[in-house]
Each structure stands twice: as C-alpha cells, then as structure tokens.
Amino acid sequence: MPKSKSAYSIPGKIGKTERHIIVVWVDNEAGVLARIAGLFSGRGYNIESLAVAEVDKKKHISRITIVTEGTPQVIEQINLQLKKLVPVHKVADFKRGEKDILFRELALFKMLANSKKQEKIKKLCKKFNPVVLDKTKKSFVIQVTALRAEIDKLALDLKRFGLISTSRTGSVAMTKGAKIFN
Amino acid sequence: MPKLISGAEIVFKALEDQKVEYIFGYPGGAVLPIYDELKNHKSIKHILARHEQGAGHAAEGYARSSGKPGVLLVTSGPGATNAVTALTDAYMDSVPLVCISGQVPTHLIGTDAFQECDTTGITRPCTKHNWLVKDANDLSRVLHLAFEVATTGRPGPVLVDIPKDIQFKKGKYKFIKNSLKKKLNGKATHKLSNKELDKFIELMKKSSKPIFYTGGGVINSGPNASKYLRELVSLTGFPITSTLQGLGSYPGDDPQFLGMLGMHGTFEANNAMHDCDLMINIGARFDDRITGKVDEFSPKSTKIHVDIDPSSIGKNIKVDLAVVSDVSELLKSLIKRFKEKNKNFLNSNKQKTSKWWEQIDKWREKKSLNFINSNKIIKPQHAVQRLYELTKDQDTFITTEVGQHQMWAAQHYKFNKPNRWMTSGGLGTMGYGLPAAIGVQIANPGKLVVDIAGEASVLMTMQEMSTAVQYGLPIKIFILNNEYMGMVRQWQELLHEKNYSESYTAALPDFVKLAESYGCVGIRAKTPDELDEKIKEMINVQKPVIFDCVVDKSENCFPMIPSGKPHNQMILGPEEDEEISDEGKILV
Ligand SMILES: Cc1ncc(C[n+]2csc(CCOP(=O)(O)OP(=O)(O)O)c2C)c(N)n1
Ligand SMILES: [Mg+2]
C-alpha cells in the first residue's frame, strides 16, 4: 500500500508560469465583478491587478482588465471559464511582453517636499507624463502613467523625497494600430 | 397595452409556457404570494418535500430520468441555504434545475431582515447563473432566460431570487424564446467539417489498441446519443468503458463493454485505459476518480476528447484532438462519414485489434468483480446481483446514496438504457438517493424505482419517506445495512491502521418499524436463503418500501486503485494485501 493517506491523488509536476493580461467585456450589472472575482478565488487563480469601468454607456458594457499569473494550462482555463459566464461578451488574452499591445498604469504620489525638492521630483518623473495635481508649500501630489515595473521603481526612488502616500490603478491595455480585439 | 399581472402570476405563466408539470418545494413567508397563486394553475402540480434539500434532489431525480429540467421552489433564508447542497450536486453532475427562491422585500434587502440571506451571493459558485429580480417587468424575461441557461450547452442549475414585494407587484408578461445571443458554454454546436471528421476517423483507423471512454455527456445529449454510440461501437468493434455517470448509455451486458472504469472500476477497463494507443473520450471529464495520478495516466495514448463544454477539454489531461460539440451531433456526422468511407472497416480492422482483444480477455480472466460468497451471511455484492436478476426484466430505475453500496450497485447492476441510473458522482452527496427516487417515480409513474442505499446515508434524508407516502409513490429503499459508514471504514482499515474513528453507527433505528411509522412497508432480510423471496415481496408491494438488507459488516469494495497510483496498479481483493489480515476482517 502507498503511504499516502489521502483519497486524492498526489500533485503532479507544476509547469512554468507566465504573466497574462486578460481583458473581459461584461454587462455592467449587479454582481458581475463578484462573479469574475469569485471565479478566480474559487478556482485558486491569482489576480495581480484589476481595472474596471463602463466603456459603453448605452449598452452598459464594462471592460475589465485583469493581470494574472499561471501555467499555460491555467491561463487557458481562465479564458474558457470566463467565457462561460452569462454576462461575459468576449475575452481577450495577452502575454506580458507581446509586441502589439500597449499597457499603462496610473499612479498618484503624495510627498512632503519643499519647492527645491519638488523640482527634483518632477525631473525624476519626467519620462512618465507627470502632471502636478496639487501643490502647497510643504506638499505635492503628482500623477504619472507608466508600466508597472517603472512605477515600482519610481515609488522606490521617491521614498527619499518624502513619499507619504501612494495610490495606483491596475493595468489597462489596448492593441496598437487600427486593429481592435474581437 | 398588455395586461398587467402580479409577479406571482408571472411566475406561473412562465412555468406554464415552459411546459412545467411539477414543482418540488417547501413554503415560507417570502414565497407565500407564489404559493397563494398555485391554486389557479391546475396544470402545475406541487410536490411538498420535507426539507428543501430533499426537494432539490427530487427535482434532480426528475430531471435526470426525464430529460426535462427540474423546478424547485423555496423560501428565503433557511429555505435557500437548505437548497444549496442540491444545487451544488446538480452543478457538479450537470443536471438542469431551475430554483425559484423568495427573498425579503426589496426595501429590506441588506438590513439583516428576518430570514434574509444573500442568496445570490451564496449560490453564485454553485449555479450556472443566478438573478435577483428587482422589477416585476423583468421577471418574465429572467425566468425564460433561466430555463434557457439551465438547459443549454452543458446543463446545470440556475436560481431566480424574487423579493416578496415583486411577487405582489404588477408587471408585463412576455414569453421570450432564445434570448441568449450567444450559445452558452462556448459555441455549443459548431458543425464539424469533413476534414476534422476525417482526422478523427484516421486516428481510429491507425489504432491497434483503441478504447472508447464515455461519460454522462452521452446521457445529457439525449436518447439519440446513446443510439449513435451503440452504432459507432458496433461499427468499429472497439472496446468501450464508461464512467459512473455514463452507465446505461451502452448496454452493460454487451461483450464489447469492459465495465466501469476508475477508482473502483474493473481490472480490464483500467488496464485498457492505461495501455491503449487511442483513447476516445466522449462526454466524460477526466476527473480525479478516473485519472488517478495525472502524470502516469495512460501515458502512451493519443487522446480525442468530445465535450460540449470547452473548459472541460484540457482541464486535467492534455488531449491531441479536441472536439467541442454536442455528443449526438458529433456521433451522427461521424457515423455518416465513417460509413461513406469505410465500408469494410470491421473486417479489415479485426486483425489489427485482435491482439488487443486477446490482452483484454486476459485481463477479464481476473474476474475483478468476483467476491467470496457466503451461505450464512448476505454479501452486499450478492444482494445487488440478486436485485438485478429479479428486476432486469422490467424497466427499472436505480438511484443510490453514497458509499460502498453505491460502488457495488455500479459494479453489479447492469444498465441497458440511458436515464435509468441516478447517482451523486461529482459531489458524492449522502442522502441523495431517497429524494431522487421520489423525483424519478414522479417522472415515471408505474415503473419500478429502487434506491440502493446505505444505512448511514439514507438517514440523512429519511424524512422524505413521508413525501413518498403522501403522493403514493411506491419507491423501494433497498438498504445494504452494514451498520458502518462502510466506505469510511474501508479507508480507515486500509490507510489509517484500522482506527475506526466514528465510522460505526450505534443506535440505528429499527428500519422495519420506521417504515411502519411512516405508513409504508418494512421488510428485513437476514440470510441468503430468504433474500430472493423478500426481494420479490418488495417488488410486488404497491406501496413505498424500506428494505433492511442485513449484510456482512466487514466487506470491502474491490477492485480499487489506491490513491496516488496509476491505473495498472490496482488492488484486486483482500488476499492481495498483507496488511488486511483475517483477524482484521473478523474484528469489524
Ligand atoms: C453529506 C456527506 N457527508 C459525508 C460524506 C463522506 N462519506 C462518504 S461515504 C460515507 C459512508 C456512507 O455510509 P453508508 O451510507 O452506510 O454506506 P456504505 O459505505 O456503508 O455502503 C461517508 C460518511 C459524504 N459523502 N456525504
Ligand atoms: Mg453502511
């Protein structure tokens, strides 16, 4: 007899994981986000970030962008399971690093900084479309848009400049050129 | 301007338009307006269960034996939570159910009102979809959509939660058909091209060690699927095995049938699955009771998987040819194409597969379902065999509870028709069989319906005997009484050093007296000598019967694939395993 004391089989090998960005078009109705989130949590999939908003006011369609990580088999399951949900219209799936896709995240940083420091901060953020949203003698709120890794790094760098609050969105995505997801 | 009617009336109009004949339910405050309306709709009969779980399993039994969706009506709060087990059971085994639940009035939702619970929240993971209806004008659309979702693609349960004020409010009624813009569960019926069919056929022609592995999808696809399956199997001459849920789609006594596969499947079926070079999965889902250790599952075979649910394909096992289709449609076009191109296939292929059949016959010689019979004590396998012999000449419907008796029923009762076998496979719900039998009997009046039960399981929903008596449903509860949670005891014996922790049921009721107190008939068989007579007596009684079949307490269910082992390492019986001594057998 095997030493296993379980009525279940023992786990097999786990494959290499990949990071994917999954875009889902859904009816913007009550509970739809719970259905999507519940599918992920219930099946043990992982949500790294999530961005949702209605994109079609007339048809009440929301676009959800989910960043997730999993083996190719798991990613395929996520796609297929999402497509089975009644309020889901379509699902698009991109591997992180694909060439034809644009990704952006937005972040707001609040810092305690005098005007001299503020100039340095602006310089640091220069590459990331900085917009100063609020400014006092002592404090400073700046908005940047960039890729996730860039924002991660920026947040680290800003620590030295009196960063006291960070607010970030999940990633949103769009194809390059005239093509759209179908 | 269409006439405005109350929400409760809309519910019944929708049920009438869906041709619903029976609803299984239990009343309560939040559904009273619907219950009040019942009297005005004579074509719909309400079956009053004794517990909402019972109502749910009865609706499942009704659905699985009739091919029609089962309808369930429960009140808010505890009514809805009691239905959750049945909904989950239906979700796992792909049974179409429409559950209508009452909810507290809309203005009280979210206030922790009396008998309020977040029904749509609780049932979200165990339904295909659910709705909270907040506008009476939405009700007819949602109800018809609910029926459509439940019965389209891979079937399953849905729930419609209706607050009490919406049941009173007036709204417009409209019968909307096919409102689903897309097919659920993917493009359910994409027609296969001849090229794809030829690829399928090519794989069959190349194979010298083929096997059909069929599941509940064949049954869910309707009686035609089963007819086509028989035709294809006979055209090809290939061996066939079936999952627990697929039993009956192919005749259980046919020589090409290798019996059930999986954890308690036959030696020949499991070895053939392991050694085959072509596995044709039709409507099964490679679940873990079938595959065992995934890495070592049928390592050398090319695999074809036909399923209506694309997410079933590639979920557990990678396949070489994926076919997303309804089983019936696929088999029909496959057979047509096959016949056009391969008139002499059977003869030309006989030689190719002859070695394979020789090997299968060798495996068969192990007679893995054999057991050591006794003339002193009733062996549970013997009891199932006698039940089969004495009922096989009439159209018999079998339900089961969960445990050893369920596996013995699957192994020793041979099914020849689809929709005759109702068992809780995916969820493994003890207490399923008795209420399911009620639903089966309602869908099939005049037919013999037997629940092959365990004494522990059946006590979980025993109260439904009262339902059977109320509606004059002559179901037969055939209890293989071993006084143990036998399946638990078996695992404890084999894997937990015989530490029989809490698996013995002390203080069991006297089932014969229990039967009498419900107003049905109690029969007890204690020895093999009297078994046949007693079974005949049971069959001939026109009333519900509880049959207490006193069986060997220590019998184990074999063959068995131990956990973590591949298919070709089965345990065939106690004599193979040193750890199970005679002493151990006497002990229990
Ligand atoms: C609701 C529920 N609780 C617990 C289990 C775990 N379980 C599986 S089989 C079994 C024993 C069943 O005993 P019995 O009905 O007497 O059947 P036997 O195995 O003795 O034939 C138990 C407790 C289950 N399947 N369902
Ligand atoms: Mg028992």
Side-chain angles (χ1 to χ4, degrees):
Chain A
M1 284 301 295
K3 282 292 155 252
S4 161
K5 290 198 171 178
S6 163
Y8 297 94
S9 61
I10 40 192
K13 290 175 217 100
I14 295 172
K16 242 174 106 180
T17 61
E18 299 169 346
R19 180 164 293 137
H20 279 241
I21 289 81
I22 293 175
V23 184
V24 194
W25 284 261
V26 298
D27 290 321
N28 183 14
E29 59 187 28
V32 66
L33 196 58
R35 280 179 213 286
I36 306 273
L39 189 142
F40 275 75
S41 62
R43 292 189 180 266
Y45 310 145
N46 155 36
I47 295 182
E48 284 184 12
S49 81
L50 181 88
V52 201
E54 192 170 82
V55 291
D56 187 329
K57 287 273 170 245
K58 255 205 198 128
K59 292 188 193 150
H60 296 292
I61 303 281
S62 287
R63 176 166 167 152
I64 305 180
T65 310
I66 303 165
V67 180
T68 184
E69 201 181 50
T71 60
Q73 230 171 334
V74 164
I75 299 288
E76 189 192 352
Q77 269 296 301
I78 293 177
N79 276 279
L80 294 170
Q81 294 289 356
L82 282 169
K83 283 181 194 163
K84 277 171 48 168
L85 296 181
V86 173
V88 168
H89 291 258
K90 56 178 180 173
V91 179
D93 172 17
F94 307 99
K95 201 167 152 177
R96 184 68 135 218
E98 263 179 52
K99 279 214 184 74
D100 298 355
I101 313 298
L102 301 165
F103 300 111
R104 272 302 170 276
E105 286 183 25
L106 184 144
L108 304 181
F109 296 114
K110 179 179 284 189
M111 275 137 314
L112 290 181
N114 56 27
S115 24
K116 216 170 112 196
K117 263 195 187 163
Q118 290 181 5
E119 284 315 304
K120 280 192 182 157
I121 292 167
K122 271 198 246 169
K123 245 191 209 152
L124 209 62
C125 298
K126 209 169 130 197
K127 277 199 296 196
F128 309 121
N129 318 303
V131 182
V132 177
L133 298 179
D134 178 55
K135 201 172 152 169
T136 68
K137 278 209 179 96
K138 289 191 299 192
S139 74
F140 187 61
V141 176
I142 191 164
Q143 164 198 308
V144 296
T145 49
L147 297 178
R148 177 146 89 159
E150 295 168 335
I151 297 181
D152 286 347
K153 179 160 185 305
L154 194 58
L156 265 176
D157 292 344
L158 288 176
K159 277 233 166 100
R160 289 186 289 129
F161 293 92
L163 181 65
I164 56 165
S165 181
T166 307
S167 177
R168 295 175 63 163
T169 66
S171 181
V172 290
M174 192 164 273
T175 45
K176 288 182 183 170
K179 205 170 69 186
I180 56 165
F181 309 132
N182 261 316
Chain B
M1 195 52 194
K3 210 175 112 213
L4 292 180
I5 56 176
S6 75
E9 249 182 293
I10 291 175
V11 168
F12 280 97
K13 275 216 154 291
L15 296 180
E16 282 164 355
D17 281 338
Q18 290 291 340
K19 307 220 161 31
V20 171
E21 290 176 84
Y22 291 97
I23 47 184
F24 300 86
Y26 206 98
V31 275
L32 282 184
I34 296 176
Y35 272 89
D36 194 34
E37 186 60 31
L38 182 62
K39 61 181 186 302
N40 302 326
H41 302 271
K42 291 284 178 266
S43 68
I44 295 174
K45 284 160 282 299
H46 179 270
I47 304 296
L48 176 66
R50 299 302 185 262
H51 185 296
E52 289 83 355
Q53 182 190 353
H57 293 321
E60 284 187 90
Y62 178 87
R64 288 179 66 165
S65 63
S66 70
K68 291 183 266 186
V71 180
L72 177 58
L73 177 60
V74 300
T75 192
S76 67
T81 55
N82 273 350
V84 167
T85 300
L87 290 172
T88 311
D89 192 89
Y91 191 63
M92 295 286 274
D93 283 343
S94 308
V95 183
L97 285 194
V98 176
C99 178
I100 297 170
S101 54
Q103 182 54 280
V104 301
T106 37
H107 73 278
L108 287 180
I109 290 179
T111 65
D112 298 324
F114 177 62
Q115 296 197 323
E116 180 186 1
C117 74
D118 178 6
T119 303
T120 49
I122 290 170
T123 58
R124 202 173 284 133
C126 61
T127 53
K128 281 180 79 177
H129 195 66
N130 59 21
W131 297 261
L132 170 64
V133 182
K134 288 181 160 176
D135 179 349
N137 287 313
D138 251 2
L139 195 51
S140 52
R141 180 188 65 83
V142 167
L143 283 165
H144 289 299
L145 182 59
F147 275 88
E148 207 181 332
V149 172
T151 54
T152 310
R154 179 177 177 177
V158 298
L159 178 139
V160 183
D161 202 22
I162 313 176
K164 192 167 181 179
D165 55 325
I166 303 301
Q167 299 169 31
F168 282 123
K169 268 214 186 103
K170 303 233 182 238
K172 280 176 282 188
Y173 176 79
K174 221 173 138 193
F175 185 10
I176 310 153
K177 274 189 203 161
N178 300 323
S179 50
L180 280 183
K181 304 230 169 42
K182 54 174 188 171
K183 283 276 184 187
L184 288 179
N185 284 350
K187 286 106 224 141
T189 46
H190 108 175
K191 263 240 171 313
L192 274 202
S193 67
N194 277 342
K195 218 174 127 196
E196 285 170 290
L197 290 173
D198 287 344
K199 198 169 160 201
F200 199 131
I201 291 166
E202 204 45 46
L203 288 172
M204 293 204 282
K205 280 161 79 174
K206 275 208 305 230
S207 164
S208 56
K209 297 198 269 177
I211 187 163
F212 284 107
Y213 150 46
T214 59
V218 182
I219 305 217
N220 273 339
S221 180
N224 273 338
S226 187
K227 259 191 256 157
Y228 292 133
L229 178 66
R230 290 160 198 227
E231 190 177 346
L232 184 66
V233 172
S234 112
L235 274 174
T236 56
F238 291 174
I240 171 171
T241 177
S242 165
T243 66
L244 181 71
Q245 293 302 2
L247 295 175
S249 57
Y250 191 85
D253 52 6
D254 185 275
Q256 275 171 265
F257 188 60
L258 307 190
M260 181 176 77
L261 81 160
M263 186 172 270
H264 292 290
T266 65
F267 188 69
E268 53 271 30
N270 283 328
N271 274 288
M273 285 290 279
H274 189 270
D275 283 6
C276 66
D277 66 4
L278 176 67
M279 179 184 297
I280 307 169
N281 171 345
I282 303 179
R285 62 184 177 91
F286 289 114
D287 99 303
D288 65 278
R289 304 286 101 164
I290 295 299
T291 59
K293 194 174 176 197
V294 191
D295 302 342
E296 288 172 51
F297 174 71
S298 193
K300 283 170 292 214
S301 60
T302 302
K303 297 178 185 72
I304 302 177
H305 189 176
V306 182
D307 205 299
I308 200 164
D309 175 4
S311 72
S312 270
I313 302 179
K315 178 166 64 183
N316 302 327
I317 296 289
K318 283 203 182 109
V319 297
D320 304 279
L321 179 61
V323 183
V324 177
S325 170
D326 170 56
V327 169
S328 234
E329 282 179 39
L330 177 272
L331 289 180
K332 191 176 159 190
S333 37
L334 188 70
I335 289 169
K336 189 162 163 261
R337 187 77 182 162
F338 191 84
K339 278 188 183 160
E340 281 166 11
K341 297 234 154 171
N342 304 281
K343 294 225 161 54
N344 291 319
F345 181 81
L346 199 50
N347 290 330
S348 64
N349 208 58
K350 261 224 171 89
Q351 230 182 347
K352 203 164 187 177
T353 56
S354 66
K355 275 236 169 72
W356 181 229
W357 274 111
E358 271 169 38
Q359 174 63 61
I360 288 171
D361 287 337
K362 271 193 206 133
W363 287 323
R364 270 181 166 159
E365 277 164 24
K366 287 258 182 197
K367 300 205 184 306
S368 60
L369 297 183
N370 270 12
F371 57 95
I372 303 161
N373 214 344
S374 152
N375 52 17
K376 290 205 188 66
I377 185 162
I378 303 174
K379 290 282 180 174
Q381 303 94 321
H382 176 69
V384 176
Q385 286 182 346
R386 292 318 302 156
L387 180 71
Y388 170 63
E389 290 301 330
L390 295 169
T391 58
K392 67 178 181 189
D393 293 332
Q394 55 183 303
D395 192 9
T396 305
F397 292 72
I398 302 285
T399 69
T400 76
E401 309 293 335
V402 172
Q404 291 179 317
H405 63 274
Q406 176 188 31
M407 292 299 115
W408 284 318
Q411 291 173 339
H412 297 281
Y413 204 100
K414 311 258 175 275
F415 296 91
N416 285 313
K417 284 189 199 159
N419 306 98
R420 299 300 187 275
W421 164 246
M422 274 64 49
T423 192
S424 170
L427 195 63
T429 312
M430 291 170 69
Y432 169 87
L434 195 163
I438 288 176
V440 173
Q441 187 78 76
I442 282 175
N444 301 277
K447 294 286 166 69
L448 178 62
V449 182
V450 183
D451 170 26
I452 298 181
E455 80 297 330
S457 296
V458 80
L459 283 178
M460 287 202 174
T461 49
M462 182 50 89
Q463 76 284 347
E464 300 302 332
M465 269 332 266
S466 182
T467 311
V469 172
Q470 179 179 345
Y471 296 96
L473 305 168
I475 55 170
K476 317 296 182 212
I477 310 305
F478 189 72
I479 303 173
L480 299 179
N481 186 351
N482 53 10
E483 293 179 24
Y484 270 99
M485 297 169 198
M487 194 54 102
V488 174
R489 192 201 51 72
Q490 175 167 351
W491 281 91
Q492 289 173 331
E493 178 182 333
L494 299 176
L495 300 169
H496 294 271
E497 291 83 37
K498 302 186 179 134
N499 174 16
Y500 298 123
S501 178
E502 303 295 321
S503 56
Y504 180 73
T505 321
L508 279 171
D510 178 330
F511 285 107
V512 172
K513 284 194 186 143
L514 187 60
E516 283 157 10
S517 82
Y518 275 116
C520 47
V521 176
I523 301 175
R524 177 172 295 124
K526 283 178 164 165
T527 61
D529 291 342
E530 59 179 7
L531 184 61
D532 274 30
E533 264 335 290
K534 298 274 169 106
I535 291 178
K536 282 185 206 152
E537 186 189 337
M538 171 184 88
I539 297 168
N540 291 329
V541 180
Q542 293 305 308
K543 284 172 116 184
V545 175
I546 299 178
F547 190 111
D548 186 15
C549 188
V550 179
V551 299
D552 189 344
K553 298 188 202 343
S554 59
E555 193 69 19
N556 281 336
C557 183
F558 290 113
M560 171 178 182
I561 304 181
S563 50
K565 290 283 167 172
H567 275 176
N568 58 352
Q569 295 180 28
M570 299 193 80
I571 315 179
L572 285 175
E575 64 277 5
E576 257 200 29
D577 198 283
E578 291 147 24
E579 276 177 54
I580 309 170
S581 61
D582 284 357
E583 192 196 328
K585 274 190 282 170
I586 297 160
L587 224 156
V588 291

